Amino acid sequence: MRSDLLLACISGPLLAVFLLKGKARRLLAAVFGGMLIAYFAGAISGLPVEGRHFVYDALAAVLYISPAVEEGLKLILFLLFLFVCQLEDAALPDVAVGIGVGFAMMESIALQYTAGDIGAIALFARAFCSALIHVACALMLILAVRMVRRMALETLSGILGIYAVTVTVHALYNLLISAGSAGEILGYCLPAMLIAAWKLWPVIGKDDAR
């Protein structure tokens, strides 16, 4: 991912971080952070590995390397927000959405730059579903962040388990998208179903409690 794309895209969110206050500043800071880690994730995932190490092809990078790098950077940024901003549980979804949307924005801009001439509908569908999967995975990472508050013995294993789940979901999305045909349609529906489940879960929990 080219550095000039990053500089051109982050100027607006960075300015807003300095001008705004309160929840708006925190949200824009999350968007800015998401765009920044998207740049670093692209740089890390795209590193050519030669010599004594393995050389991976594009499919291997999409399935194995990119999901692990991207979700790992999201988790690190999330934990940074937790400790620096002293976030309450109610603020975690806002930060998760900001990180996911910022990441997807940067990724979509890079996709448009590399894809060149692409249909507007196809670009919108790809960018929108990319935002959905990044937001869905970031929302799942909330569980890991909440475990950090507990500082229990199972905290580390729990965080690694949730991280593994987000990497698996992200890799499954990438696999379905790259499969084409019915698999591609299913891949586009996957993040929407995850976010719908996230929104419906509290309602189901309240009904069960009654």
Side-chain angles (χ1 to χ4, degrees), residues 77-89:
L77 180 60
F78 219 145
L79 294 175
L80 183 63
F81 267 96
L82 176 67
F83 290 115
V84 173
C85 300
Q86 298 295 312
L87 297 177
E88 300 294 334
D89 283 355

Side-chain angles (χ1 to χ4, degrees), residues 60-75:
V62 166
L63 295 183
Y64 308 125
I65 299 172
S66 294
V69 171
E70 293 176 6
E71 299 308 322
L73 289 176
K74 285 181 199 170
L75 179 57

Side-chain angles (χ1 to χ4, degrees), residues 34-166:
M35 298 178 76
L36 196 61
I37 62 172
Y39 171 77
F40 287 120
I44 295 171
S45 301
L47 286 174
V49 184
E50 299 178 353
R52 293 175 294 176
H53 304 283
F54 64 93
V55 178
Y56 55 85
D57 56 16
L59 182 60
V62 166
L63 295 183
Y64 308 125
I65 299 172
S66 294
V69 171
E70 293 176 6
E71 299 308 322
L73 289 176
K74 285 181 199 170
L75 179 57
I76 292 172
L77 180 60
F78 219 145
L79 294 175
L80 183 63
F81 267 96
L82 176 67
F83 290 115
V84 173
C85 300
Q86 298 295 312
L87 297 177
E88 300 294 334
D89 283 355
L92 294 179
D94 294 340
V95 174
V97 170
I99 292 174
V101 168
F103 197 108
M105 285 173 58
M106 194 69 227
E107 188 178 67
S108 299
I109 291 169
L111 174 67
Q112 169 63 12
Y113 184 84
T114 56
D117 195 11
I118 184 172
I121 301 299
L123 178 63
F124 174 80
R126 179 71 177 85
F128 183 73
C129 292
S130 174
L132 285 178
I133 191 63
H134 286 297
V135 169
C137 290
L139 287 173
M140 284 190 284
L141 289 175
I142 290 178
L143 299 176
V145 173
R146 285 176 176 167
M147 284 186 177
V148 173
R149 292 186 186 278
R150 295 170 52 191
M151 292 299 177
L153 292 176
E154 69 272 15
T155 295
L156 180 58
S157 59
I159 290 174
L160 293 177
I162 295 170
Y163 168 68
V165 170
T166 59

Side-chain angles (χ1 to χ4, degrees), residues 191-204:
M193 290 187 292
L194 290 173
I195 293 181
W198 174 272
K199 297 293 288 184
L200 291 175
W201 181 259
V203 178
I204 296 173

Side-chain angles (χ1 to χ4, degrees), residues 9-36 81 84-85 98:
C9 297
I10 66 172
S11 56
L14 182 60
L15 178 62
V17 168
F18 286 104
L19 294 179
L20 298 177
K21 296 181 180 180
K23 294 182 179 180
R25 170 182 285 182
R26 186 172 59 208
L27 178 61
L28 266 297
V31 172
F32 169 75
M35 298 178 76
L36 196 61
F81 267 96
V84 173
C85 300

